[in-house]
Amino acid sequence: MRVDKRAIGVFDSGIGGLTAMRELAAFLPHEDIVYFGDTGRVHYGTRSRETIVKYARQDARFLCSFDLKLLLIACGTASYAALETLQQELPIPVFGVVEGASRRAAELTRVGRVAVLATPATISGHVFGNFLNTISPGITVLEKACPLFVPIVENGRFQPEDPLVRILTEEYLAPVREAGVDTIILGCTHYPLLAEAISRCVPGAALVNSGAEAAKTVAESLRKTCLAAPETHVGTRRYFVSDSVAQFRQNAGMYLRHPLDGSVEWVDIEKYE
Ligand code: DGL
């Protein structure tokens, strides 16, 4: 059997992509993974497509300074804006979080009504809706921008009992509940932290974690293409950020749901033109 010792690159606009990193690392314990979080230029979700593409290109260029076999865009917003560009420009396979989650949602829905929750930028691109309609034209898709979900999560406010969380989930999800949706795509990598609160607001709906589905797709792809690392290898994790290392260290555990498991270094991302 062929093996491939090169690393996997993962990037996000900041720290939320760690929810996908967690899943990827769990599926692929033998792989070396390099994560870049653009914490100095976050948030991407309220920026123009041109700016997001520019940033994503720099993020990818930095990661490609490592010997990579594959790149995962662990960010709903960057997947919307830059997946096609990076797939065209890079010599390695590039995955985003849209396709796997859409396929899973199409499998899960019984009533044919799916909601997509994501940042304003992602929703403006209709990428989840378009993909769902392509693979399953009968499905009705309700796309809902949730601009305040990222800031509340980053402030540690995601407990279902928190009054602020209850007000915001009710505001964003009342139309989803009223539309009789039975499957909800969490189209932003911060949102898994709000899963419990979202479930309480739309009882019985299946939640699809887009980062976890992308991690599954990556793991399957490595298996199929025989690009997996040797099973004797213990995968290493390295983290890079474009802002405070200390802040990233302090907050990472909330998204990973385990203590940080690798080194963290600062990188001057603007250098990667
Ligand atoms: N990482 C982004 C996403 O998954 C959310 C944070 C941001 O707006 O940059 O869409």
Side-chain angles (χ1 to χ4, degrees):
M1 203 182 98
R2 269 175 57 206
V3 291
D4 188 329
K5 293 182 183 165
R6 290 176 299 166
I8 296 174
V10 178
F11 79 84
D12 176 43
S13 57
I15 198 163
L18 291 181
T19 61
M21 176 74 180
R22 168 194 154 80
E23 306 290 339
L24 192 67
F27 282 127
L28 301 169
H30 307 295
E31 300 294 336
D32 291 341
I33 309 178
V34 187
Y35 178 97
F36 172 67
D38 198 4
T39 51
R41 302 187 297 191
V42 74
H43 299 97
Y44 288 8
T46 46
R47 295 192 191 274
S48 70
R49 184 173 193 150
E50 292 68 33
T51 301
I52 303 164
V53 170
K54 177 182 156 201
Y55 288 176
R57 273 200 176 113
Q58 290 182 301
D59 303 345
R61 233 160 256 164
F62 162 65
L63 283 170
C64 286
S65 65
F66 296 86
D67 189 18
L68 295 187
K69 61 181 161 192
L70 183 149
L71 181 69
L72 171 63
I73 308 176
C75 172
T77 308
S79 298
Y80 130 70
L83 176 68
E84 271 178 34
T85 305
L86 296 183
Q87 282 177 331
Q88 281 161 14
E89 293 179 355
L90 298 181
I92 51 172
V94 183
F95 293 84
V97 299
V98 176
E99 192 175 323
S102 305
R103 289 194 190 283
R104 183 75 186 128
E107 269 166 29
L108 284 174
T109 183
R110 295 282 160 261
V111 299
R113 283 189 291 277
V114 171
V116 180
L117 311 180
T119 64
T122 306
I123 293 300
S124 76
H126 305 292
V127 279
F128 286 95
N130 289 344
F131 194 82
L132 270 162
N133 287 145
T134 308
I135 57 169
S136 205
I139 290 180
T140 303
V141 186
L142 183 81
E143 296 170 297
K144 186 79 192 145
C146 307
L148 295 172
F149 274 177
V150 166
I152 59 165
V153 167
E154 290 186 347
N155 281 281
R157 306 279 296 268
F158 50 82
Q159 317 301 340
E161 302 77 24
D162 183 320
L164 186 57
V165 173
R166 284 167 69 166
I167 290 170
L168 286 179
T169 46
E170 183 55 29
E171 158 121 8
Y172 293 143
L173 291 157
V176 170
R177 194 174 53 231
E178 279 151 26
V181 158
D182 70 349
T183 305
I184 301 174
I185 297 177
L186 307 179
C188 165
T189 46
H190 278 68
Y191 297 179
L193 279 84
L194 288 162
E196 177 65 32
I198 292 168
S199 282
R200 286 199 196 178
C201 223
V202 192
L207 301 191
V208 178
N209 176 336
S210 57
E213 293 304 323
K216 235 184 264 174
T217 309
V218 167
E220 271 163 28
S221 155
L222 288 186
R223 241 190 325 268
K224 275 194 208 141
T225 52
C226 298
L227 288 179
E231 287 184 2
T232 47
H233 182 68
V234 180
T236 59
R237 282 84 183 86
R238 291 180 73 182
Y239 299 87
F240 291 85
V241 290
S242 50
D243 196 41
S244 161
V245 165
Q247 222 167 54
F248 185 83
R249 277 188 191 287
Q250 191 182 326
N251 296 325
M254 192 169 98
Y255 299 85
L256 286 169
R257 289 198 278 135
H258 58 68
L260 198 62
D261 49 357
S263 58
V264 187
E265 291 163 63
W266 179 81
V267 60
D268 181 3
I269 196 64
E270 298 287 355
K271 259 184 18 196
Y272 293 84
E273 282 301 336

